[in-house]
């Protein structure tokens, strides 16, 4: 009796991964489609109460920085419940691709962070606007699948990203 060996999707070639519905990253050259692509976006999953505390702490930290302070801000305190938009933005910039403990102390700009990947796309210089749009949309889909209660806000941001891209 012959058995077929199971090969996980991450170990299949880029061509096979695309056929399975995996989005291949912008930097994978077409001549290497016969090789596997093991780069994937990941999102840290926090319990809702922990995530809310982190967003409030980030808000307070930003307000403490003189160069980020808004002179028209008339709020009495900063400990109010985070809005969905603020939470999605926090997740996008601080919780994407947290793959090692070495990066745990860096709030943003770590290796393969949101801003770091956009910088890599811009440096490559090929179809930059479309690739950045696709990356942003993929990140928002990842946030929506990891945090279903933020899916509506993610869809709203995707709508605006696509609308702004079409206007250019």
């Amino acid at each position: 009796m012959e058995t077929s060996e199971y090969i996980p999707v991450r170990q299949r070639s880029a061509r096979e991964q695309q056929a399975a519905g995996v989005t291949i990253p912008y930097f994978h050259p077409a001549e290497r489609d016969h090789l596997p692509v093991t780069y994937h976006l990941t999102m840290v999953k926090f319990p809702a109460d922990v995530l809310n505390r982190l967003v409030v702490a980030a808000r307070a930290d930003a307000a403490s920085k003189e160069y980020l302070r808004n002179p028209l801000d008339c709020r009495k305190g900063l400990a109010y419940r985070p809005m969905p938009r603020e939470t999605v933005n926090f997740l996008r910039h601080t919780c994407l691709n947290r793959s090692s403990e070495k990066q745990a102390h860096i709030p943003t700009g770590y290796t393969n962070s949101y801003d770091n990947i956009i910088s890599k796309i811009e440096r490559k210089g090929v179809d930059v606007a479309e690739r950045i749009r696709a990356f942003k949309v993929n990140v928002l889909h990842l946030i929506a699948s990891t945090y279903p209660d933020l899916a509506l806000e993610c869809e709203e941001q995707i709508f605006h990203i696509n609308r702004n891209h079409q206007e250019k």
Side-chain angles (χ1 to χ4, degrees):
M1 185 167 137
E2 191 176 315
T3 60
S4 62
E5 182 180 336
Y6 171 74
I7 300 174
V9 173
R10 290 182 81 156
Q11 295 176 6
R12 296 181 188 203
S13 70
R15 196 172 296 113
E16 292 173 318
Q17 288 185 31
Q18 278 183 313
V22 175
T23 302
I24 301 301
Y26 70 92
F27 51 78
H28 184 77
E31 63 270 8
R32 294 177 50 107
D33 276 352
H34 63 286
L35 298 173
V37 177
T38 57
Y39 179 85
H40 299 281
L41 295 176
T42 60
M43 178 63 55
V44 177
K45 176 74 172 158
F46 290 113
D49 61 326
V50 173
L51 179 60
N52 288 341
R53 285 195 311 245
L54 287 170
V55 174
V56 170
R59 178 192 303 144
D61 182 57
S64 71
K65 308 242 187 309
E66 188 64 38
Y67 63 93
L68 293 176
R69 188 170 294 137
N70 181 352
L72 302 176
D73 188 4
C74 60
R75 296 175 289 188
K76 301 277 189 250
L78 299 172
Y80 56 90
R81 183 173 174 79
M83 300 302 291
R85 180 177 180 85
E86 184 180 21
T87 305
V88 168
N89 293 343
F90 171 82
L91 288 168
R92 180 175 58 223
H93 287 282
T94 62
C95 297
L96 184 70
N97 292 337
R98 287 288 184 167
S99 58
S100 73
E101 292 182 15
K102 293 178 185 176
Q103 301 172 349
H105 68 285
I106 305 170
T108 187
Y110 52 90
T111 305
N112 291 325
S113 68
Y114 181 81
D115 300 317
N116 187 281
I117 292 174
I118 287 181
S119 172
K120 288 178 184 178
I121 294 171
E122 290 171 344
R123 279 184 274 153
K124 181 146 186 167
V126 178
D127 196 17
V128 173
E130 175 56 29
R131 290 174 185 218
I132 288 177
R133 186 204 64 78
F135 173 69
K136 288 179 176 181
V137 168
N138 285 335
V139 169
L140 288 167
H141 281 301
L142 176 64
I143 292 170
S145 64
T146 307
Y147 296 93
D149 54 321
L150 297 173
L152 186 61
E153 177 59 34
C154 290
E155 289 302 319
E156 174 79 13
Q157 290 190 24
I158 288 169
F159 170 79
H160 288 291
I161 288 168
N162 288 332
R163 187 189 66 193
N164 291 341
H165 182 71
Q166 289 173 353
E167 289 176 359
K168 291 181 181 180

